[in-house]
Amino acid sequence: MQGMIPEDVAKEMEGDPRLSALLADLQEALRSAEDMDSLERVRVAFLGRKGKITSLLQGIRELPAEERRRLGRLGNALKGHLEEELGRRRERLLVEELEESLHRERIDITLPGRHVNFGTRHLLSRIIEEIEDIFVGMGYRVVEGPEVELDYYNFEALNTPDWHPSKSLQDTFYVEVPGGDYEDVLLRTHTSPVQVRVMESTPPPLYVIAPGKAYRHDVPDATHSPMFHQVEGLAVDEGISLGDLKGTLEVFARKMFGEDRRVRFRPHFFPFTEPSAEVDVSCNICGGGGCRVCKGTGWLEILGAGMVDPNVFSYVGYDAEKYSGFAFGMGVERIALLKYGVPDIRFFFDNDLRLLRQY
Ligand code: DAH
């Protein structure tokens, strides 16, 4: 309050008993007003509709003119000064509050941050991408097919009729379909059915690869998993030969396993190719001299392949007189095991970050 009212005005007020009492009240009230709420209470008590200064100013109407002027002037001066003082105090409180909250909420940038675990792409996903890139670079298109498949695509149209001995070699998971025949629907045992689906819907020429999951009734061990990944390949065109297959797989093997890799074909049997072969790549660990990974042979088996059997073409309406083709299928886990020397296929599915981070 000190200094709130100019000295001459204060002196004049003190000469009047009503004003000096009011002034004393006001000083007392302001002394203890230290927060927003109490400032507001002071405002209401003195400047509100029934406030002391308001009442004083209302009461002067009945007074003689000269007295009215004097009290009016002093009362209004007091009102103005009080308003100013309240404004000043409010502002000071706001500044103090702001400073206090800035101090309270200060961020301590010296504290160590919280560690965030980032995921990475799974090794198998990366191998699949790598395989895709290699074949896309040779003009192939990436296609997909369903994992729940019909017997027709998985076996029959791949030249594997019910009586065929190779069918019993693949332990198949069948899917029970209400009202359907048992053994009509199954989890595909390989990605080869995608060949049939693509040929059914696309006229030749055709250059495709089909990555995806396959399922077999296998007991998990170091080299078997009931769910695994394959990449299927199919090329159909006029005049495609076994030499084209060999050249294509050589390019693939060198890009995947290293420039100086060699490829060899061993005669084999698949119902959907004739002739068929198992394809080996020279061991990338020992370079062909023989080691633990290649079991001393110098060679690693990486895929099955062959020339598309004309019977398969007849299922999809391709003209086997005009077109020929080759096909191949590789196991992604096996390629990853060989390329990175992973000792056990089950590591891929444990999803232990300590292992996955190594590759
Ligand atoms: N589908 C065969 C398997 O799962 C792999 C395979 C062999 C695919 C020869 C082919 C092929 O396309 O021509 O063992």
Side-chain angles (χ1 to χ4, degrees):
M1 195 67 184
Q2 212 84 73
M4 177 183 110
I5 302 172
E7 232 170 87
D8 51 333
V9 181
K11 241 195 195 103
E12 212 179 335
M13 285 183 188
E14 271 155 26
D16 178 301
R18 280 180 64 194
L19 283 175
S20 66
L22 183 58
L23 205 53
D25 277 357
L26 184 54
Q27 272 166 335
E28 179 57 31
L30 278 173
R31 219 187 318 278
S32 55
E34 269 158 12
D35 57 33
M36 286 293 184
D37 286 346
S38 44
L39 284 179
E40 178 59 11
R41 278 197 294 278
V42 172
R43 189 193 66 77
V44 171
F46 288 86
L47 302 173
R49 219 151 36 86
K50 291 178 183 160
K52 290 180 179 168
I53 296 177
T54 315
S55 313
L56 173 84
L57 288 170
Q58 275 166 356
I60 61 177
R61 268 181 241 142
E62 277 95 61
L63 296 175
E66 196 177 320
E67 184 65 354
R68 187 168 57 210
R69 245 192 322 271
R70 193 180 64 85
L71 270 182
R73 180 171 49 79
L74 289 174
N76 276 321
L78 188 57
K79 183 178 167 186
H81 291 307
L82 177 57
E83 277 167 352
E84 266 173 38
E85 175 70 9
L86 289 175
R88 257 196 307 276
R89 289 197 184 199
R90 270 198 209 101
E91 203 165 305
R92 197 164 57 223
L93 279 176
L94 283 177
V95 170
E96 277 169 17
E97 232 166 64
L98 178 67
E99 267 168 13
E100 207 245 332
S101 80
L102 283 176
H103 186 76
R104 189 165 15 103
E105 290 159 20
R106 196 175 51 181
I107 298 166
D108 183 354
I109 56 164
T110 65
L111 277 177
R114 256 181 231 133
H115 183 73
V116 178
N117 265 325
F118 284 105
T120 54
R121 288 183 74 60
H122 195 282
L123 178 60
L124 292 177
S125 307
R126 296 208 315 267
I127 297 265
I128 290 173
E129 268 173 25
E130 220 175 299
I131 298 170
E132 286 176 358
D133 284 350
I134 293 172
F135 282 99
V136 166
M138 288 192 272
Y140 285 66
R141 193 157 57 84
V142 180
V143 295
E144 281 184 0
E147 288 171 34
V148 178
E149 189 51 284
L150 294 172
D151 176 276
Y152 175 79
Y153 291 104
N154 195 80
F155 291 122
E156 192 181 335
L158 285 166
N159 202 30
T160 319
D162 279 346
W163 49 264
H164 205 288
S166 81
K167 204 170 156 179
S168 63
L169 297 178
Q170 304 201 344
D171 278 317
T172 308
F173 288 113
Y174 286 94
V175 178
E176 227 173 298
V177 183
D181 268 350
Y182 189 63
E183 299 199 348
D184 268 356
V185 181
L186 44 80
L187 299 185
R188 66 181 179 195
T189 59
H190 50 179
T191 45
S192 303
V194 186
Q195 288 186 31
V196 183
R197 287 183 173 274
V198 179
M199 285 192 280
E200 237 180 25
S201 61
T202 327
L206 200 63
Y207 293 83
V208 292
I209 56 162
K213 294 186 173 76
Y215 301 83
R216 282 181 206 172
H217 218 293
D218 280 328
V219 177
D221 64 19
T223 53
H224 292 87
S225 161
M227 185 281 287
F228 56 100
H229 298 77
Q230 289 190 330
V231 176
E232 192 76 16
L234 174 69
V236 182
D237 209 333
E238 290 180 43
I240 293 247
S241 71
L242 196 63
D244 295 320
L245 171 61
K246 191 154 193 237
T248 303
L249 293 179
E250 263 168 11
V251 169
F252 166 72
R254 289 186 184 141
K255 290 223 158 107
M256 198 68 191
F257 291 102
E259 264 320 307
D260 48 356
R261 294 287 86 80
R262 281 160 298 127
V263 169
R264 76 173 182 188
F265 281 37
R266 277 179 294 107
H268 198 72
F269 173 80
F270 295 105
F272 32 90
T273 42
E274 182 58 35
S276 301
E278 274 189 336
V279 179
D280 299 341
V281 59
S282 55
C283 181
N284 58 313
I285 308 287
C286 62
C291 69
R292 192 182 51 80
V293 177
C294 61
K295 301 201 180 81
T297 64
W299 295 94
L300 302 167
E301 185 209 319
I302 54 163
L303 51 85
M307 301 305 291
V308 180
D309 193 302
N311 276 345
V312 175
F313 281 158
S314 70
Y315 275 98
V316 296
Y318 273 23
D319 181 356
E321 295 297 319
K322 189 170 175 203
Y323 293 101
S324 57
F326 63 71
F328 56 85
M330 62 185 91
V332 178
E333 282 81 359
R334 179 155 176 81
I335 292 193
L337 290 183
L338 297 174
K339 183 163 175 172
Y340 293 100
V342 181
D344 193 314
I345 193 175
R346 288 167 293 193
F347 286 151
F348 293 132
F349 308 114
D350 286 346
N351 286 333
D352 184 331
L353 287 176
R354 290 169 305 176
L355 180 104
L356 294 177
R357 284 214 181 91
Q358 290 179 45
Y359 303 106

